[in-house]
Amino acid sequence: MGYRTLDQISLAGRRVFMRADFNVPLDKQDGRTITSDTRIRKALPTVETILGRGASLVLASHLGRPKGQRLESMSLRPVAERLGELLGTEVALAPDCIGPEVETLADSLEPGRALLLENLRFHAQEQANDAGFSAGLARLGDAFVNDAFGTAHRAHASTVGVPAVMPDRAAGLLMQRELEYFSMATSNPRRPYVAIIGGAKISGKIDVIRNLLSLADRVLIGGAMTYTFLKASGARVGDSLVEEDRLGLASELLEIGEGRLAFPEDHVIADSFSADANVRTVESDVPDGWMGLDIGPRTIESYRRILGDARMIVWNGPMGVFEIEAFAAGTLAIARCIESVSDKAVTIVGGGDSERAIRAAGVGAAISHISTGGGASLEFLSGAVLPGVAALA
Ligand code: AMP
């Protein structure tokens, strides 16, 4: 794919600058407790490989959206502590991510030791991909590793600017795994190949649906975007969420996708967007005063049949308003369907909501690959080249 892997660069005695994705959720009350350390754990194989091969390691990440300001509430200190616990060795936190003091700290790192830089986005130059800022970061290492798939679709200093000036560069193990799975889904799928696309809006997923229609054997639609398609095809959708300015595009996709696009055959509808709404299931049009909030049992059955024959499945986006129990059944059923075919199919799940649904259904372990990058995986599935990946060539 035009990038090197960790095995293809020499590590012993080097000082590796690694872009990681440590953008972890913090407790809203105390602002310091990490509520899920999944992203830190997912970087551990790469961190341990680099340290184990006799390199020292300078780690860089963003956290939250400080917008170029130094905000203590978005310090990476909790990450340094947690990473240290998981590695069983102290990980120092640098006072900043560039500057003479940080360079001195990096210079004094012993092989096998790691230093975590402070939040890259305390500097606006990070997202602006500023050349001087990139050069400042690049001074901290002599080889570059990118393991942050979740930000690979962004052309920032730490994802694009730094590798541009560091000839020795490679994908980390997590990045490599993500790229291998999504490459399979876009260039070498097993068949039958079924994609399931849900969520609120088609606007962010038009290119994905268009590209998947040229790759997959079936594309199953769920979530609110159903109603933009149904309205475009002339059905009555009541008060369901519709993107009026996307009706033309939806009609175009309906034409391109004839025979491959599948839509819900029945709908769980409600008279308001709330947990205590009146709820019923309809098989035809959604009446005025009602809105479609989940796929119905007939749809679950028919999607289950299609998924049952699949040898490759890609899923992004919930089938309904799964945050509310009354409208969660469709999304949870799809999660279970995917699990039940995971022994014979390659199954890939992307996007935070789908991942949460997989966990809520308790089926995560069987899935072939749960992506760490929602936005990046959608970009990849739309056929785009991710700037952070191109920069590793
Ligand atoms: P997205 O970010 O586009 O993947 O959308 C995810 C959101 O879509 C979730 O918060 C769901 O609650 C919401 N959603 C899914 N189905 C519907 C629906 N039928 N009506 C309104 N919102 C929905």
Side-chain angles (χ1 to χ4, degrees), residues 36-301:
S36 164
D37 63 2
T38 305
R39 286 190 166 151
I40 305 177
R41 287 177 182 276
K42 293 228 169 179
L44 284 181
T46 306
V47 169
E48 284 171 336
T49 299
I50 292 170
L51 296 176
R53 299 242 299 259
S56 58
L57 181 59
V58 175
L59 288 157
S61 175
H62 74 284
L63 176 65
R65 295 190 176 146
K67 300 198 174 138
Q69 289 188 55
R70 194 184 171 93
L71 296 176
E72 274 320 302
S73 60
M74 293 179 201
S75 166
L76 279 160
R77 181 165 301 286
V79 173
E81 286 165 7
R82 185 75 190 115
L83 182 60
E85 283 165 17
L86 292 168
L87 288 173
T89 173
E90 197 203 339
V91 174
L93 178 74
D96 201 346
C97 59
I98 52 162
E101 201 181 334
V102 183
E103 285 174 33
T104 308
L105 282 172
D107 283 344
S108 62
L109 264 186
E110 296 287 327
R113 309 287 309 192
L115 170 74
L116 176 62
L117 303 179
E118 189 49 287
N119 196 337
L120 291 162
R121 292 194 189 166
F122 282 176
H123 297 262
Q125 295 97 315
E126 158 65 0
Q127 286 177 275
N129 188 15
D130 177 86
F133 183 74
S134 299
L137 293 174
R139 275 199 288 279
L140 301 172
D142 53 25
F144 176 81
V145 170
N146 191 346
D147 214 21
F149 178 73
T151 46
H153 58 314
R154 306 279 181 225
H156 294 164
S158 65
T159 59
V160 164
V162 178
V165 294
M166 290 178 91
D168 252 351
R169 48 192 177 235
L173 298 171
L174 172 62
M175 175 73 95
Q176 188 186 341
R177 183 184 161 87
E178 295 268 14
L179 295 176
E180 283 170 358
Y181 273 102
F182 284 108
S183 299
M184 205 194 297
T186 49
S187 42
N188 186 24
R190 296 197 193 166
R191 296 192 182 277
Y193 175 14
V194 181
I196 317 161
I197 302 293
K201 295 183 172 174
I202 54 169
S203 41
K205 293 177 186 166
I206 286 168
D207 292 338
V208 177
I209 297 172
R210 202 192 297 274
N211 200 37
L212 285 172
L213 282 172
S214 72
L215 295 166
D217 300 295
R218 300 302 300 271
V219 178
L220 315 183
I221 299 293
M225 71 168 74
T226 303
Y227 303 99
T228 302
F229 280 111
L230 292 188
K231 182 156 183 185
S233 70
R236 281 175 56 212
V237 298
D239 295 347
S240 305
L241 192 64
V242 168
E243 284 175 281
E244 297 288 343
D245 56 345
R246 296 290 192 274
L247 289 172
L249 271 166
S251 302
E252 199 190 305
L253 290 175
L254 284 170
E255 216 166 287
I256 304 171
E258 173 101 59
R260 267 165 300 141
L261 266 178
F263 293 100
E265 296 160 26
D266 58 350
H267 313 268
V268 176
I269 62 170
D271 58 359
S272 73
F273 192 102
S274 67
D276 52 14
N278 291 304
V279 178
R280 58 194 178 95
T281 302
V282 289
E283 294 193 352
S284 52
D285 291 350
V286 180
D288 288 342
W290 293 74
M291 59 190 86
L293 296 180
D294 195 10
I295 58 175
R298 265 185 55 181
T299 308
I300 292 175
E301 252 334 287

Side-chain angles (χ1 to χ4, degrees), residues 292-311:
L293 296 180
D294 195 10
I295 58 175
R298 265 185 55 181
T299 308
I300 292 175
E301 252 334 287
S302 107
Y303 284 8
R304 192 199 307 282
R305 271 199 304 277
I306 297 170
L307 292 168
D309 293 331
R311 290 297 170 273

Side-chain angles (χ1 to χ4, degrees), residues 353-377:
D353 287 332
S354 314
E355 186 192 341
R356 268 189 288 284
I358 288 281
R359 308 251 179 252
V363 298
I367 310 295
S368 313
H369 181 63
I370 300 178
S371 177
T372 53
S377 63

